Amino acid sequence: QVQLVESGGGLVHAGGSLRLSCAVSGGILNNINMGWYRQAPGKQRDLVAVFISGGSTNYADSVNGRFTISGDNTKNMVYLEMNGLKPEDTAVYYCNADVFGRGWLRNYWGQGTQVTVSS
């Protein structure tokens, strides 16, 4: 059974930092298309950062220069380093990844971790 489990969320003051982690189990993490999304109350789920082909990354304009996505395929982990946090970064953050199994590749979501930034 494939699971993506996020951790590292919490409450932080504006200007602070957090590091989110996503642990993938039950399969092998694909290093393309693994990323982080977020959903604020009453809003749609939006892309924050994602690995695309060739090891390149894509960031939402609102976080570019403040957030950094990284991954460790040997550990089946995805990370999101968040610096210079702002109140508008408050949301539930979700890990998303393609995971290889025996003869299949499927996309999965984690359960989310809450990030709250106070002003």
Side-chain angles (χ1 to χ4, degrees), residues 12-67:
V12 63
H13 291 297
S17 299
L18 285 173
R19 187 191 194 212
L20 305 184
S21 299
C22 174
V24 179
S25 61
I28 299 173
L29 180 62
N30 184 19
N31 60 2
I32 298 173
N33 202 35
M34 60 182 185
W36 291 90
Y37 294 72
R38 67 186 181 187
Q39 188 167 18
K43 295 188 177 182
Q44 67 181 18
R45 190 173 298 186
D46 291 326
L47 171 72
V48 176
V50 65
F51 277 100
I52 55 179
S53 62
S56 299
T57 53
N58 188 32
Y59 292 90
D61 289 343
S62 59
V63 308
N64 202 14
R66 298 188 296 124
F67 291 10

Side-chain angles (χ1 to χ4, degrees), residues 73-118:
N73 289 83
T74 64
K75 297 180 180 178
N76 260 12
M77 296 289 294
V78 188
Y79 305 99
L80 184 69
E81 188 76 34
M82 305 187 294
N83 299 311
L85 282 162
K86 304 175 181 179
E88 51 264 43
D89 294 320
T90 295
V92 178
Y93 283 71
Y94 297 91
C95 177
N96 178 268
D98 292 336
V99 179
F100 288 101
R102 186 169 294 181
W104 49 261
L105 174 67
R106 295 173 188 159
N107 185 262
Y108 293 88
W109 290 93
Q111 83 290 348
T113 185
Q114 177 70 47
V115 171
T116 303
V117 184
S118 62

